[in-house]
Amino acid sequence: MSFDRSIKIAPSILSADFANFGQEIQAIEAEGADWVHVDVMDGHFVPNLTFGPPLCAAIRPHIKTVMDVHLMISPVDAYIDAFAAAGADILTAHLEAGPHTHRTLQAIRGAGCKAGLALNPGTGIEDLDYLLDMVDLICVMTVNPGFGGQKFIHSQIDKVRRLRAMIGDRPIHIEIDGGITPETAPLMAAAGADVLVAGSAVFKGGSVANPAPYGENIRSIRAAAEAATTTMA
């Protein structure tokens, strides 16, 4: 994975047809998705239960772009190697998920993945000072983790703006997860985000049999975000 700050759309398969993951992934990639986002939830750290390493391994052959795995689990360290072996390109753990975040990031990189760090809406950026040189991506949650389809939390815009200033010239992606639509995407892009996770906003109106709406939704989100970055420049 080469680094660039162009806008990337990462559809979350949490909103896909679970019975047709392979075809759904092929469809969103054909329609312009840059990354494929996999939301892993354990029913403990967050109030939902979703996917494990076997599912990631099963869908990996269908993903031709980037497999972006978001671990909403605690404890996390014990599962890093399994998700890496399942084919994750990026593994993102939560700052709040354990007491030894630096060790977790070391383990992710040691397993051969890019290391991501996620922040819940109520978490500040102050604890990142001594972690920035260990991360490739910071995921700012703009909803409380655990469910798709929630409303965007606007207080996170300023967090992203301050985070972007803190990162400076470091090659670190800022990813936004939660409530991304053509209306909220430009707010986050203008604040400094470059990776936008969208679930229902991408998959609404389409299907494996009719994937054209996926492309329309992806292009709409991307265009709104890119327009904001152009205006800012």
Side-chain angles (χ1 to χ4, degrees):
M1 288 174 56
S2 59
F3 181 84
D4 71 87
R5 294 196 190 281
S6 64
I7 295 296
K8 288 162 282 294
I9 309 301
S12 168
I13 63 168
L14 190 62
S15 296
D17 178 357
F18 282 23
N20 292 289
F21 271 143
Q23 293 179 56
E24 288 275 55
I25 288 166
Q26 293 168 17
I28 58 174
E29 289 190 333
E31 293 293 337
D34 300 290
W35 295 3
V36 175
H37 189 82
V38 183
D39 286 307
V40 176
M41 306 180 188
D42 64 358
H44 166 70
F45 180 67
V46 294
N48 205 349
L49 187 65
T50 58
F51 317 123
L55 184 281
C56 290
I59 64 175
R60 176 70 256 195
H62 300 280
I63 298 174
K64 307 305 180 188
T65 56
V66 173
M67 188 174 183
D68 177 29
V69 179
H70 180 185
L71 300 176
M72 288 172 271
I73 65 177
S74 177
V76 65
D77 290 8
Y79 298 95
I80 288 170
D81 286 344
F83 280 102
D89 294 301
I90 303 169
L91 278 177
T92 296
H94 272 255
L95 178 66
E96 307 88 357
H100 305 297
T101 308
H102 191 279
R103 179 185 297 164
T104 298
L105 296 171
Q106 284 181 317
I108 292 172
R109 285 188 163 182
C113 298
K114 297 290 187 181
L117 187 61
L119 305 176
N120 283 337
T123 301
I125 65 173
E126 297 77 15
D127 291 334
L128 297 180
D129 277 343
Y130 297 101
L131 297 171
L132 285 179
D133 292 332
M134 292 293 298
V135 299
D136 302 287
L137 175 149
I138 298 173
C139 175
V140 176
M141 297 299 299
T142 44
V143 298
N144 285 296
F147 297 96
Q150 298 183 68
K151 290 185 177 180
F152 180 86
I153 299 174
H154 282 77
S155 64
Q156 304 307 292
I157 298 171
D158 182 61
K159 180 190 289 186
V160 171
R161 190 176 295 114
R162 292 188 293 114
L163 178 59
R164 183 68 191 83
M166 176 185 282
I167 287 172
D169 294 331
R170 293 177 178 86
I172 299 173
H173 295 293
I174 299 178
E175 178 177 75
I176 306 303
D177 189 353
I180 289 295
T181 66
E183 291 70 41
T184 58
L187 302 177
M188 302 316 290
D194 60 289
V195 182
L196 304 175
V197 176
S200 54
V202 166
F203 285 96
K204 67 178 182 180
S207 66
V208 168
N210 178 31
Y214 297 166
E216 295 168 4
N217 296 335
I218 289 169
R219 288 189 292 274
S220 180
I221 295 169
R222 190 191 308 278
E226 289 179 344
T229 58
T230 300
T231 301
M232 181 177 60

